Amino acid sequence: MEVREREERRRIRRRRKLRLKAALLGRSRGGQTSRIHLAADRRCRPLAFVLTAGQAADSPQFIPVLRKIRVRGPAARPCTRPDAVAGDKAYSSRDNRAHLRRRSIKAVIPEKRDQASNRRNKGSGGGRPVSHDANLYKERNTVERLINKLKAWRGIATRYDKTPNYLARLHLRASIIWIKELTRCVR
């Protein structure tokens, strides 16, 4: 009898873990969480989303978000390469900078203090100092303003539902933001 109960509890725990994984929910001290990684243009319009479990770090999601960017123009293929990418110090990794360099995208990401000191300690073998455009960096707050627009919907701000359709709600809210912006431009 005990063996059956134990197996039943294990099966329930496994099922619960799979459900959390499907809903992109992570565990933390505060409970179940998720994190939205996104790219926005200068007008606070969403370009790409990646939804991960709450314990996922920011830097590894940088390249997947960039790969999802597709901006359609009046004709031809969609644009997948922005002119510049602004980000905070969390995205200042060697891999992210190398990816941007390979794609000829200007990186507007400040260097972390420890990375700068390590580079200086290496001397001439440490490479050139990272430069970034301070005026473009000031416009980095467009992502924060976009998150505030997204969180105007209570279901996105609180994430009461623990179902996989949360990403669909994010896309719905993003399309409403785009439609409002486009109708504002037509008038």
Side-chain angles (χ1 to χ4, degrees), residues 58-95:
D58 288 332
S59 189
Q61 303 307 321
F62 182 76
I63 295 171
V65 169
L66 277 181
R67 285 190 181 135
K68 282 190 153 196
I69 294 176
R70 301 271 186 274
V71 179
R72 289 211 174 272
R77 295 185 318 202
C79 179
T80 59
R81 192 180 66 80
D83 296 331
V85 172
D88 58 5
K89 290 183 180 182
Y91 297 104
S92 178
S93 73
R94 203 176 308 151
D95 292 338

Side-chain angles (χ1 to χ4, degrees), residues 67-179:
R67 285 190 181 135
K68 282 190 153 196
I69 294 176
R70 301 271 186 274
V71 179
R72 289 211 174 272
R77 295 185 318 202
C79 179
T80 59
R81 192 180 66 80
D83 296 331
V85 172
D88 58 5
K89 290 183 180 182
Y91 297 104
S92 178
S93 73
R94 203 176 308 151
D95 292 338
N96 292 345
R97 289 185 186 280
H99 178 75
L100 294 174
R101 231 182 341 269
R102 275 193 307 272
R103 295 191 62 203
S104 302
I105 300 172
K106 184 177 181 180
V108 186
I109 304 170
E111 191 174 29
K112 288 183 183 178
R113 191 174 294 157
D114 64 328
Q115 289 174 345
S117 65
N118 289 338
R119 182 183 40 75
R120 279 193 296 272
N121 289 341
K122 290 181 181 177
S124 61
R128 286 188 232 148
V130 174
S131 64
H132 74 278
D133 188 349
N135 291 327
L136 275 177
Y137 186 69
K138 288 178 187 175
E139 294 183 19
R140 183 181 54 87
N141 68 5
T142 57
V143 172
E144 306 300 331
R145 293 195 328 245
L146 172 60
I147 290 172
N148 288 338
K149 283 183 182 182
L150 289 171
K151 288 187 175 183
W153 273 18
R154 183 176 172 208
I156 292 175
T158 56
R159 180 132 196 205
Y160 285 131
D161 67 332
K162 305 300 181 200
T163 58
N165 66 0
Y166 183 71
L167 187 60
R169 290 181 185 183
L170 279 173
H171 284 287
L172 180 62
R173 179 65 179 143
S175 61
I176 289 173
I177 291 170
W178 268 95
I179 290 169

